[in-house]
Amino acid sequence: MRIRAILGVMLAMTLAGCGLNSVPTAQENVKAKWGEVQNQYQRRADLIPNLVATVKGYAKQENQVLTNVTEARARATSINVTTDDLSNPERLKQFSSAQNQLTQALGQLRTVVESYPDLKSNTNFLALQSQLEGTENRIAIARRDYNQAVQAYNTRIRTFPDAIGAKVFYGAKPMTPFEAQAGADKAPTVNFGS
């Protein structure tokens, strides 16, 4: 009887060291971080149209840039990524591409502000500029936090002893980190000529 108790305790300790609790905890952390990335994109999608509508009256000569922002926002919100898609690099690439198009359109908008100082004097435009910067910073932080959670999860499911529980009990697969699009390291070309 005593041997069974000792074996039971040893088995419980062995299983506890195999990621039975830590793997799902890490997986849920990744999903929560991805939720925050989506939350920040949604915040941007909800906030920008209202701010742009306010500023649009003051920036008629730059109507095309504002239209590009609105259209890019529509494309960005048309692609949704669920936590089930986190292991699908192609789906994340599509999502990232749509979000990067919006980021580029917002970059053009910021350039317009710098080129037309008259627009800067308007308090609505200054508020838009501040909100855009803050929003993009929030998105960058959410992406960073997501990538850190993915790194921790992927490391956990690949290292001993958690790798045993991850494979045997959960069939865990690595999750895909957020990646910038090719060419994102280069500043966009701005041309006001045509």
Side-chain angles (χ1 to χ4, degrees), residues 22-133:
S22 60
V23 170
T25 301
Q27 185 179 43
E28 290 304 314
N29 186 41
V30 170
K31 290 178 181 180
K33 298 297 184 186
W34 181 250
E36 183 57 21
V37 170
Q38 289 181 312
N39 177 47
Q40 292 305 325
Y41 282 138
Q42 184 63 52
R43 178 184 178 275
R44 176 170 73 175
D46 292 343
L47 178 67
I48 290 171
N50 295 326
L51 293 172
V52 168
T54 302
V55 172
K56 211 169 189 177
Y58 295 94
K60 288 183 180 176
Q61 70 273 25
E62 298 308 323
N63 192 30
Q64 184 59 44
V65 172
L66 296 172
T67 300
N68 290 347
V69 169
T70 304
E71 290 171 354
R73 176 204 168 263
R75 283 190 300 275
T77 57
S78 69
I79 298 175
N80 294 318
V81 174
T82 66
T83 55
D84 295 334
D85 295 324
L86 296 179
S87 296
N88 183 343
E90 192 59 40
R91 186 72 177 144
L92 284 176
K93 249 185 211 176
Q94 291 171 347
F95 181 80
S96 176
S97 174
Q99 293 299 329
N100 284 335
Q101 288 174 9
L102 179 54
T103 299
Q104 289 173 354
L106 293 172
Q108 291 173 346
L109 184 61
R110 285 189 207 105
T111 302
V112 167
V113 174
E114 293 168 5
S115 296
Y116 295 93
D118 309 352
L119 297 176
K120 285 185 181 180
S121 65
N122 181 284
T123 57
N124 290 331
F125 209 90
L126 289 173
L128 172 63
Q129 190 176 9
S130 175
Q131 287 294 328
L132 291 175
E133 181 180 357

